[in-house]
Amino acid sequence: MNDNASKSVPPSVQEVSLPVVGTDQRFPVRRIYCVGRNYVSHIREMAEADERDLPFFFQKPRDAIVENGDEVPYPQATENFEFEGELVVAIGASGSDIPVDDVDKHVFGVACGIDLTRRDLQFEARERSWPWEMGKSFDHSAPVGALTPTSTLDILDNAELTLHVDGKLRQHTSLSLMIWSTREIISRLSAQFRLEPGDIVMTGTPAGVGALGPGDRVDVAITGLEALSITVTSKA
Ligand code: MN
């Protein structure tokens, strides 16, 4: 039976955007790309992969964005919900096959982020050679702080990333310890996908990842950028 006449099309879908430091304007988000395995220390703690592997990419849905100060309900379907503190780069100008030396022209700004992970589901996917979506691309899995606009990634020279859970230091790295630099990541990603304004890239996490539970507060800081804080609440 065709009951289409009784159906009404949804009026719109949710727009997603991020605040920009120093302005009332907001940055519209088109796609969220993430890098797997970009710090030797994290590859070693996960006991996986060749430390010289090429970077690989996965995506999160844009409506997984969570803003600074927001609450994150403990997700469905996991017993091992983990944090990964990461630098986020926002793209402001389109391009494909971008040379490393040209990457800065395509960058809008940078921010703190957390690649929230259902680690048990990620490991199951790894063992079964399934895609990573169940472990990585769930609701509320992409907290990102306010974007700091910049014309050059040089502002990250000597920058350090820290992540605290309930005030206790859990992750601490120099961004210089990435296997693939921020510019190399953007260049290589642009060889796989044409990058467009509104794309954001999570650039990988260092050692120290661990589990979160209801009530935990997570704070991510990167030298010179706006900090990011979220609080985990009970299961939705
Ligand atoms: Mn990650």
Side-chain angles (χ1 to χ4, degrees):
M1 183 182 128
N2 184 338
D3 65 351
N4 286 349
S6 67
K7 298 287 187 186
S8 57
V9 174
S12 65
V13 294
Q14 183 186 359
E15 293 291 323
V16 179
S17 63
L18 290 167
V20 177
V21 175
T23 169
D24 290 337
Q25 292 185 303
R26 293 181 64 92
F27 179 89
V29 177
R30 190 185 82 116
R31 291 183 184 171
I32 307 172
Y33 293 102
C34 305
V35 182
R37 304 171 188 142
N38 200 28
Y39 291 84
V40 167
S41 61
H42 180 57
I43 291 172
R44 289 179 180 166
E45 76 177 343
M46 291 286 112
E48 66 178 6
D50 188 308
E51 292 168 10
R52 300 156 299 173
D53 273 356
L54 292 175
F56 76 94
F57 301 98
F58 59 95
Q59 292 187 39
K60 291 175 184 270
R62 64 179 163 186
D63 67 346
I65 292 272
V66 171
E67 288 189 40
N68 180 41
D70 283 353
E71 294 182 337
V72 172
Y74 193 95
Q76 298 166 275
T78 186
E79 302 300 324
N80 190 8
F81 177 44
E82 292 203 341
F83 57 82
E84 298 187 354
E86 309 199 359
L87 167 72
V88 176
V89 180
I91 301 298
S94 63
S96 53
D97 297 313
I98 302 168
V100 170
D101 289 343
D102 287 348
V103 163
D104 287 19
K105 299 176 201 161
H106 297 265
V107 169
F108 173 83
V110 286
C112 298
I114 311 171
D115 170 14
L116 290 172
T117 301
R118 296 192 291 203
R119 191 72 71 197
D120 43 0
L121 300 189
Q122 184 200 7
F123 283 165
E124 182 182 15
R126 190 170 82 184
E127 286 164 17
R128 295 174 180 250
S129 298
W130 286 349
W132 274 25
E133 273 84 353
M134 300 297 277
K136 288 290 194 178
S137 307
F138 51 97
D139 297 340
H140 309 287
S141 61
V144 179
L147 289 165
T148 296
T150 184
S151 57
T152 171
L153 291 169
D154 288 350
I155 64 164
L156 300 173
D157 288 351
N158 307 311
E160 298 193 354
L161 178 151
T162 58
L163 182 146
H164 291 79
V165 179
D166 288 339
K168 186 176 173 193
L169 181 65
R170 303 292 296 275
Q171 292 187 287
H172 182 196
T173 190
S174 166
L175 295 184
S176 68
L177 294 177
M178 288 182 182
I179 298 169
W180 296 90
S181 72
T182 304
R183 290 185 181 96
E184 288 170 330
I185 287 291
I186 302 296
S187 176
R188 288 194 171 269
L189 178 61
S190 78
Q192 308 270 349
F193 299 91
R194 181 175 179 82
L195 300 182
E196 298 288 353
D199 291 343
I200 64 173
V201 185
M202 292 189 159
T203 57
T205 200
V209 301
L212 293 170
D216 286 347
R217 175 190 163 114
V218 184
D219 294 286
V220 181
I222 295 174
T223 313
L225 308 189
E226 290 273 301
L228 166 65
S229 298
I230 56 129
T231 302
V232 180
T233 61
S234 303
K235 291 192 183 188

